[in-house]
Amino acid sequence: MAQKATIYKVELSVADMDRHYYETHNLTVAKHPSETDERLMVRLLAFALNAHEQLEFTKGISTDDEPDVWQKSLSGEIELWVALGLPGEKIIRQSCGKADKVIIYSYGGSTADMWWEKTRNSTTRFDNLQVINFSRTDTSELGKLANRSMRLQVNIQDGDIMVSVDDSSLHITPIKWKS
């Protein structure tokens, strides 16, 4: 019998001083059986970094032709495609062809470094692509904050991120590999 997704209830408050965006989102997030707490929290962080009233989670990990998060215009065009992890060159190419803007949030320490070394040259032609890396330490600590019902506060200022869940907080400094 296949395992079912685990449901997380998240009250996500975003204070993004860089974009002047201040809003609280009440989210119901399905965690795929193969998804780790670390990946779930990176997904929530990616949502917070791009928060918008039309931003939404997709089927994500269970489909190959959708990102983890996307934003569509009212007429259905994909304005923003947000992918996590280390996608292959073909997926990057297809994503950049489908969306106005593509952001990849990579993580995984030395594995991510090796992926970027291999992928970097093939991404130079995509003007609509950004690649941002999170350190292994940051994402590992972020994963420890996960719980099934959480109040998540994300403050963003000058590119630095502070994430708070209940009484715990964590500072994250993303590294822009391609902007």
Side-chain angles (χ1 to χ4, degrees), residues 52 54 70-80 100:
H52 185 276
Q54 292 170 300
W70 64 13
Q71 178 182 318
K72 289 185 172 183
S73 68
L74 294 175
S75 56
E77 290 90 18
I78 302 170
E79 297 175 329
L80 177 63
D100 296 339

Side-chain angles (χ1 to χ4, degrees), residues 24-145:
T24 298
H25 300 266
N26 290 306
L27 305 170
T28 300
V29 184
K31 179 183 161 195
H32 191 273
S34 67
E35 188 174 28
T36 63
D37 285 346
E38 179 181 24
R39 188 177 192 288
L40 172 77
M41 293 301 285
V42 170
R43 195 158 46 110
L44 286 166
L45 180 59
F47 188 97
L49 292 171
N50 298 284
H52 185 276
E53 63 187 25
Q54 292 170 300
L55 193 69
E56 58 187 19
F57 291 108
T58 66
K59 294 175 187 162
I61 209 168
S62 61
T63 61
D64 291 335
D65 59 342
E66 290 183 2
D68 294 281
V69 180
W70 64 13
Q71 178 182 318
K72 289 185 172 183
S73 68
L74 294 175
S75 56
E77 290 90 18
I78 302 170
E79 297 175 329
L80 177 63
W81 180 290
V82 177
L84 306 181
L86 313 172
E89 185 179 337
K90 179 182 176 186
I91 292 173
I92 294 170
R93 186 175 60 250
Q94 290 172 340
S95 305
C96 289
K98 291 178 183 178
D100 296 339
K101 181 178 180 182
V102 176
I103 303 174
I104 298 171
Y105 291 103
S106 64
Y107 63 99
S110 61
T111 307
D113 293 336
M114 289 185 297
W115 167 82
W116 182 237
E117 280 302 314
K118 186 179 129 191
T119 309
R120 175 189 329 208
N121 292 334
S122 64
T123 65
T124 55
R125 64 187 164 155
F126 302 118
D127 294 333
N128 61 335
L129 174 66
Q130 288 183 31
V131 180
I132 298 168
N133 186 58
F134 297 120
S135 76
R136 160 75 77 192
T137 305
D138 287 348
T139 59
S140 177
E141 290 300 312
L142 191 60
K144 293 176 185 174
L145 298 177

